[in-house]
Amino acid sequence: MQDDQELSLLPPYLLSADGAQYADSQNQRTYGTLSYNARRKCWTVKGDPMVTELCKRLFPGSATARRGEARFTNHRRVVGDLNWLMLRYPLLVKPQDRERWQKALTEAREHAVKREMARRMPEKVTPNPSVFTGTLTDFQQEGLAYLLRSDRCLLADEMGLGKTVQALAYLSETGAYPAMIVAPTHLISNWQKEIARFVHCPDGSPLRVHVLKGLKPYPLPPADIYLMHYLLLRGWKEVLPDLGLPTVIFDEVQELRHAGTEKYSAASLLAEAAERVIGLSGTPIYNQGAEIWNVINILDFHVLGDYESFTREWCYGYGNRIVAKPELLGEHLRNEGLMLRRTKQEVLSELPPKRRLVMTIDSDEGVYRKLMQPLQKTLQLLKSSGEVSGSQRALWEMEIERGERQATGIAKAPYVTQFVRALLDAGEKVLLFAHHHEVMDIYKRELKNYSPAFITGRETTAMKERGVERFMVGKTNLCCISLRAASGLNLQRASCVVFGELDWSPAVHSQAEDRAHRMGQTDSILCYYLVSGGGSDQEMQDALGLKVSQFVGLMGDTPQSGEDAFLSAQEARQYAEKLVSRLLSEMG
């Protein structure tokens, strides 16, 4: 029962007595019956043709092929509309459904109050520093305020605008743990890193995080945040809804744009059981009606009506997949508090010219170990050699260091290509940098559908020029470049720079970034450094961080100097010595 303050927020159609009671209290004539269809999860009106015909005219989603029958989705927004209709044309609620109707109407009233109160909330929210260690930009503070107002919604900011950090700020503010975060396979490691970086308990201790493993369910340990990738959903379908998780976040929620799969069904059940459901996606889909309906339907069941009525009213006809007026649909989603989207151009004034993000991705440990096996022969030589010259030992150590770098690059290459695919599918123009030819060969194979250009040092001058031209005139949105072959290239059409492999020198990275960030560039270039948890990446990242204060901080945007080259070689040499020492100790 709402208090007087809450009642003042209710719209008239929910403030009055409900339609069912109104008919009884006023001894009104009833115009038909109202019953609940459990299979369809909807309310069915059967009554006078004038009433059902009015339903179909006023509420297109209620139309059915049967004369004298209309259906209303059991959604808190729709129930309010149905109650408004019943105040004018009272319906007799069937006895077995009266309790359900009262519950549905109460939820509709609570939702109406909550929506009205949300409109009066601050437009910006600064997260509590006792549980969130990070600084949000103005537009990210607006995003946090939006998420706090809308418990079931889609944050559709363009890629690179910080959807992850806004979602974590939301978790820290609500404290609605345990939460489940579902993400693509290649982003699980990055979520672990970002959680540890930004969110913690009030006493300063880290949150408990558990990553689900395998398709076969097992008893989950206590945790504040559970992480799983989409491919596991089908195996955990029957278990997840019963875990009592108050919050679910679907990262890259466009993964659920296709209905009819076990993955989609499992996600739907998980979302239905949660109080708060947030979708994150930089690629909201407007022109494919069925797909945007599928995505929104996961977040808030039937908020856009059923599929048939959606395609009939929003698309070019029943079953058609193309939205007739995508701008109108986007406006509707925003007005209903279902979606917030900001583009890079809209917030450009808040962005630095270059943004550097370190993204942790997975790697294939089995592939890494297999590629390290041939180095055992060199290790045996080092172990068995007694008196060996310092130069010979240095050569063997550097051979092992180069082999490990290559093994690291190859082991994470499939995950790099997954990440790059997401960027390309979002319409980004990508420069992808790597060092080893074997890694480039994997990129060529895995990304061949995007018809990439290649500048790796293996091409003739004419081939190199054609590759640059293809990228610059828009014949491809992907150009793969060797880290040491970037000098002199002018590729300012790029919107993203991705480092699939690292170099010991920060100046090499900076020079590579400048292939996109040229003089006169007015855009904000996003530079992703993709690092794995194993192999040489962590050591190289730390080394780079030591040279430039912070790895993601400002790098010197100057060509590599002789001193830089010397320091880089020294860094590689020192790492080679430590690597060999570690590998020899593991051999026993």
Side-chain angles (χ1 to χ4, degrees):
M1 187 71 179
Q2 282 93 1
D3 58 29
D4 292 341
Q5 183 180 3
E6 291 181 339
L7 287 173
S8 69
L9 301 177
L10 283 171
Y13 64 87
L14 283 172
L15 182 59
S16 306
D18 73 74
Q21 292 179 349
Y22 180 70
D24 294 337
S25 63
Q26 303 297 317
N27 197 24
Q28 291 284 312
R29 173 198 167 189
T30 56
Y31 291 80
T33 61
L34 180 69
S35 60
Y36 185 72
N37 186 320
R39 185 174 66 85
R40 293 180 177 272
K41 296 183 179 179
C42 70
W43 292 97
T44 301
V45 175
K46 292 184 179 180
D48 295 357
M50 59 173 267
V51 174
T52 54
E53 191 269 336
L54 182 66
C55 291
K56 295 172 185 179
R57 277 195 291 118
L58 292 178
F59 310 106
S62 69
T64 72
R66 297 182 180 182
R67 184 173 64 253
E69 180 177 306
R71 297 191 188 118
F72 289 79
T73 298
N74 187 31
H75 189 281
R76 50 193 181 278
R77 285 182 174 93
V78 178
V79 167
D81 295 335
L82 178 56
N83 190 67
W84 170 81
L85 176 75
M86 291 170 66
L87 293 174
R88 173 62 181 88
Y89 297 101
L91 300 171
L92 183 65
V93 181
K94 292 194 173 181
Q96 67 270 25
D97 295 322
R98 286 179 181 173
E99 184 177 344
R100 186 187 292 272
W101 169 252
Q102 290 298 320
K103 182 175 183 292
L105 191 56
T106 297
E107 291 174 352
R109 284 174 170 155
E110 290 173 349
H111 175 73
V113 169
K114 189 173 183 179
R115 289 295 304 152
E116 186 56 37
M117 292 178 69
R119 290 189 180 96
R120 306 181 187 194
M121 286 179 65
E123 293 185 0
K124 297 180 183 179
V125 173
T126 302
N128 184 347
S130 67
V131 289
F132 183 80
T133 54
T135 302
L136 301 184
T137 63
D138 283 351
F139 77 85
Q140 289 171 339
Q141 290 178 16
E142 292 171 358
L144 173 57
Y146 163 75
L147 293 176
L148 292 171
R149 291 195 297 267
S150 309
D151 285 339
R152 289 178 175 267
C153 61
L154 171 65
L155 180 60
D157 285 347
E158 204 168 56
M159 294 189 77
L161 297 188
K163 293 185 293 295
T164 299
V165 74
Q166 291 175 74
L168 291 175
Y170 169 78
L171 278 179
S172 74
E173 285 296 293
T174 61
Y177 302 118
M180 173 68 74
I181 298 175
V182 186
T185 310
H186 65 284
L187 293 180
I188 294 294
S189 295
N190 193 67
W191 272 101
Q192 288 179 277
K193 179 178 74 76
E194 297 294 86
I195 291 167
R197 178 183 175 191
F198 287 113
V199 194
H200 53 79
C201 298
D203 62 3
S205 61
L207 293 178
R208 298 167 300 171
V209 178
H210 177 76
V211 180
L212 276 69
K213 303 291 185 182
L215 286 168
K216 186 176 180 181
Y218 55 86
L220 293 177
D224 300 300
I225 296 178
Y226 296 100
L227 283 166
M228 72 182 304
H229 60 76
Y230 284 99
L231 298 178
L232 297 186
L233 278 171
R234 60 186 178 88
W236 289 76
K237 177 180 177 179
E238 304 300 328
V239 176
L240 293 177
D242 297 327
L243 295 179
L245 302 171
T247 307
V248 176
I249 295 175
F250 292 105
D251 188 20
E252 303 294 348
V253 70
Q254 73 273 8
E255 290 270 342
L256 300 173
R257 65 187 181 274
H258 301 302
T261 64
E262 284 293 299
K263 176 175 73 173
Y264 187 90
S265 175
S268 181
L269 291 173
L270 174 61
E272 188 177 4
E275 299 172 22
R276 302 170 180 84
V277 184
I278 305 297
L280 308 176
S281 174
T283 53
I285 307 155
Y286 291 149
N287 62 332
Q288 291 290 323
E291 293 183 2
I292 191 61
W293 184 90
N294 288 337
V295 169
I296 297 297
N297 203 54
I298 287 287
L299 305 178
D300 200 349
F301 182 75
H302 273 194
V303 68
L304 292 177
D306 57 65
Y307 172 80
E308 290 81 3
S309 62
F310 176 84
T311 55
R312 183 174 57 248
E313 300 303 324
W314 285 102
C315 304
Y316 283 103
Y318 174 80
N320 188 285
R321 298 174 62 85
I322 308 300
V323 174
K325 296 181 179 179
E327 297 82 8
L328 186 61
L329 175 58
E331 182 181 355
H332 172 69
L333 293 174
R334 287 187 289 270
N335 289 342
E336 288 294 314
L338 292 168
M339 183 185 76
L340 176 66
R341 175 169 173 80
R342 281 79 57 86
T343 65
K344 184 168 58 176
Q345 291 303 316
E346 290 171 342
V347 299
L348 197 58
S349 62
E350 298 185 46
L351 302 176
K354 281 196 284 190
R355 292 166 289 153
R356 297 179 174 95
L357 295 176
V358 181
M359 301 287 288
T360 303
I361 62 171
D362 287 330
S363 64
D364 191 322
E365 286 299 313
V367 168
Y368 174 79
R369 287 193 297 270
K370 182 178 180 181
L371 291 172
M372 289 294 288
Q373 286 176 357
L375 299 177
Q376 294 294 316
K377 182 178 179 181
T378 305
L379 281 169
Q380 288 289 354
L381 287 172
L382 278 167
K383 185 178 181 181
S384 60
S385 61
E387 295 297 325
V388 64
S389 67
S391 59
Q392 181 61 57
R393 183 178 182 85
L395 285 173
W396 283 345
E397 287 176 343
M398 292 308 295
E399 177 188 341
I400 292 171
E401 186 273 336
R402 285 192 294 270
E404 196 208 22
R405 281 183 64 192
Q406 178 174 301
T408 301
I410 291 173
K412 70 176 182 177
Y415 300 94
V416 171
T417 58
Q418 286 182 39
F419 185 87
V420 170
R421 278 193 206 101
L423 292 177
L424 293 168
D425 290 343
E428 301 287 354
K429 294 86 176 176
V430 180
L431 301 184
L432 174 57
F433 286 93
H435 178 68
H436 294 94
H437 291 316
E438 293 81 358
V439 173
M440 284 291 189
D441 290 340
I442 296 174
Y443 294 168
K444 180 177 288 187
R445 182 175 66 250
E446 296 293 323
L447 297 168
K448 64 180 180 181
N449 291 340
Y450 297 92
S451 186
F454 280 86
I455 302 170
T456 66
R458 291 187 288 188
E459 298 79 17
T460 64
T461 300
M463 293 168 65
K464 179 178 176 180
E465 290 175 351
R466 282 198 300 272
V468 171
E469 181 184 7
R470 286 183 61 228
F471 182 80
M472 289 302 293
V473 301
K475 290 184 178 179
T476 179
N477 284 336
L478 174 60
C479 187
C480 302
I481 311 171
S482 172
L483 277 165
R484 298 282 173 160
S487 178
L489 295 175
N490 186 0
L491 297 162
Q492 72 267 31
R493 179 173 173 266
S495 59
C496 286
V497 175
V498 178
F499 292 97
E501 291 190 278
L502 303 180
D503 193 280
W504 286 106
S505 170
V508 167
H509 295 103
S510 181
Q511 188 178 71
E513 291 175 347
D514 283 346
R515 298 316 94 205
H517 192 260
R518 307 296 288 171
M519 186 69 72
Q521 173 70 263
T522 58
D523 203 351
S524 176
I525 301 301
L526 191 54
C527 304
Y528 288 104
Y529 289 78
L530 305 185
V531 299
S532 62
S536 59
D537 273 1
Q538 295 299 311
E539 193 79 23
M540 295 181 79
Q541 180 183 337
D542 291 343
L544 288 165
L546 288 173
K547 293 178 189 175
V548 296
S549 179
Q550 289 286 328
F551 183 65
V552 294
L554 181 65
M555 295 182 186
D557 295 338
T558 57
Q560 186 182 31
S561 66
E563 183 182 4
D564 286 333
F566 173 76
L567 290 173
S568 300
Q570 189 178 51
E571 207 71 64
R573 177 83 178 85
Q574 291 172 352
Y575 175 66
E577 291 176 358
K578 287 193 291 185
L579 172 64
V580 168
S581 176
R582 174 172 61 82
L583 293 175
L584 286 173
S585 66
E586 290 175 358
M587 290 177 65

